[in-house]
């Protein structure tokens, strides 16, 4: 991954945050730092998977730099770093995954960086990075049966074990819906790859569990499940939205 940041203090902090994330996630991350976009564009910039890009730099606008980068590296995952949120919102026009505001917060940084890792891994093998306690776990999507919200606790039920994570169900829904997951009520997010049948208002999973489908979501779920099965699962990570799904 690469960092483009003209402020040496922020450059150091971002590099330390990446190093800290790699240690907690037990993942080797190679980081190259650049104090100007010109240096980055002159190098082997097409080889990077993730880019932390400052928006406001002397002589440079990060959004313009991102447009240039997209010409030769359309797959690189871009995280914008800025003190001006009004500029960051425009980052979606250059395909930025998200933005992180200065001053940097470790909790926000690790959450957004985990999403970036997810996107890179999804290119070859759909995987989600989950935090559990002080550890980060790399969990393949196909191992997740369903995710449950119960008593203010989120449990990810996999074919190997259950993992308690400090996320909201909505945040996991946002990350997993593009890969064949569906929220069937306020408490359950299911992996449609593990759904065996729908009987009445019950969703039957391949491990024998029966989960209740809310009335408001049943019609949308059946449509999504039918579409998922007919296409043998979604492989591009970008299914069409269902207009019947409740917002």
């Amino acid at each position: 991954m690469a960092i483009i940041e003209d402020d040496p203090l922020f450059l150091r902090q971002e590099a330390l945050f990446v190093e800290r994330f790699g240690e907690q996630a037990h993942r080797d991350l190679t980081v190259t730092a650049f104090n100007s976009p010109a240096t980055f564009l002159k190098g082997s910039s097409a080889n990077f998977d993730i880019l932390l890009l400052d928006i406001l730099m002397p002589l440079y606008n990060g959004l313009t730099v991102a447009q240039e980068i997209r010409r030769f590296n359309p797959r690189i995952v871009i995280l914008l770093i800025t003190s001006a949120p009004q500029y960051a919102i425009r980052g979606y026009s250059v395909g930025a995954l998200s933005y992180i505001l200065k001053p940097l917060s470790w909790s926000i940084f690790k959450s957004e960086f985990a999403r970036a890792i997810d996107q890179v891994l999804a290119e070859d093998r759909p995987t989600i990075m989950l935090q559990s306690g002080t550890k980060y776990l790399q969990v393949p999507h196909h191992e997740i049966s369903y995710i449950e919200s119960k008593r203010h606790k989120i449990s990810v039920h996999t074919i190997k074990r259950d993992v308690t994570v400090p996320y909201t169900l909505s945040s996991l829904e946002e990350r997993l819906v593009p890969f064949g997951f569906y929220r069937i009520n306020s408490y359950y997010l299911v992996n449609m790859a593990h759904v065996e049948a729908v009987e009445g208002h019950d969703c039957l999973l391949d491990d024998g569990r029966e989960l209740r489908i809310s009335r408001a979501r049943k019609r949308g779920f059946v449509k999504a499940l039918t579409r998922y099965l007919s296409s043998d699962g979604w492989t591009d990570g970008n299914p069409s939205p269902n207009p019947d799904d409740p917002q």
Side-chain angles (χ1 to χ4, degrees):
M1 64 160 297
I3 300 172
I4 302 177
E5 171 64 68
D6 67 297
D7 187 314
L9 293 179
F10 279 113
L11 182 62
R12 177 61 177 164
Q13 185 180 26
E14 291 165 32
L16 288 174
F17 275 6
V18 172
E19 181 181 350
R20 180 177 175 184
F21 186 96
E23 290 174 351
Q24 293 187 7
H26 303 290
R27 182 171 285 282
D28 293 326
L29 302 174
T30 302
V31 182
T32 305
F34 301 87
N35 58 14
S36 78
T39 308
F40 175 83
L41 294 171
K42 288 179 181 178
S44 55
S45 46
N47 296 326
F48 292 102
D49 297 308
I50 299 173
L51 171 64
L52 296 179
L53 175 62
D54 187 21
I55 291 183
L56 300 177
M57 295 175 282
L59 306 178
Y60 297 100
N61 180 305
L63 297 177
T64 303
V65 174
Q67 290 176 341
E68 178 65 21
I69 292 169
R70 282 283 178 239
R71 293 176 54 191
F72 53 82
N73 193 337
R75 291 184 175 274
I76 192 170
V77 179
I78 299 176
L79 291 174
L80 299 174
I81 310 293
T82 184
S83 56
Q86 66 271 25
Y87 289 98
I89 294 172
R90 292 166 50 196
Y92 297 108
S93 65
V94 294
L97 177 66
S98 65
Y99 62 90
I100 303 174
L101 290 177
K102 296 179 179 178
L104 301 181
S105 158
W106 165 243
S107 61
I108 294 175
F109 181 92
K110 68 179 179 181
S111 175
E112 295 306 310
F113 196 76
R115 291 181 61 208
I117 293 289
D118 287 346
Q119 187 160 319
V120 172
L121 293 175
E123 293 288 336
D124 302 312
R125 180 170 61 106
T127 305
I128 187 169
M129 187 74 74
L130 297 175
Q131 180 186 2
S132 180
T134 59
K135 296 181 179 180
Y136 281 84
L137 306 172
Q138 181 181 324
V139 181
H141 292 174
H142 72 270
E143 292 186 1
I144 301 174
S145 178
Y146 71 102
I147 301 173
E148 178 182 16
S149 174
K150 186 176 182 181
R151 298 190 183 94
H152 306 291
K153 182 175 72 174
I154 302 296
S155 298
V156 179
H157 300 275
T158 78
I159 59 178
K160 296 180 179 179
R161 57 180 167 173
D162 295 341
V163 181
T164 300
V165 296
Y167 308 112
T168 64
L169 196 59
S170 294
S171 66
L172 290 173
E173 178 183 13
E174 181 182 353
R175 292 168 67 181
L176 289 170
V177 160
F179 301 99
F181 287 72
Y182 198 96
R183 188 160 176 175
I184 61 173
N185 62 28
S186 300
Y187 308 102
Y188 298 123
L189 179 66
V190 301
N191 184 348
M192 289 189 284
H194 288 276
V195 175
E196 281 200 342
V198 174
E199 293 185 359
H201 284 280
D202 290 327
C203 171
L204 279 61
L205 302 182
D206 53 13
D207 61 0
R209 295 180 185 272
E210 297 182 11
L211 306 178
R212 193 70 173 172
I213 310 168
S214 71
R215 289 183 179 274
R217 294 177 182 268
K218 182 181 176 182
R219 183 166 175 260
F221 175 53
V222 172
K223 281 187 175 182
L225 182 61
T226 301
R227 189 169 67 251
Y228 177 84
L229 295 175
S230 64
S231 63
D232 193 27
W234 291 312
T235 56
D236 60 359
N238 187 30
S240 301
N242 188 342
D244 296 321
D245 288 350
Q247 299 299 314

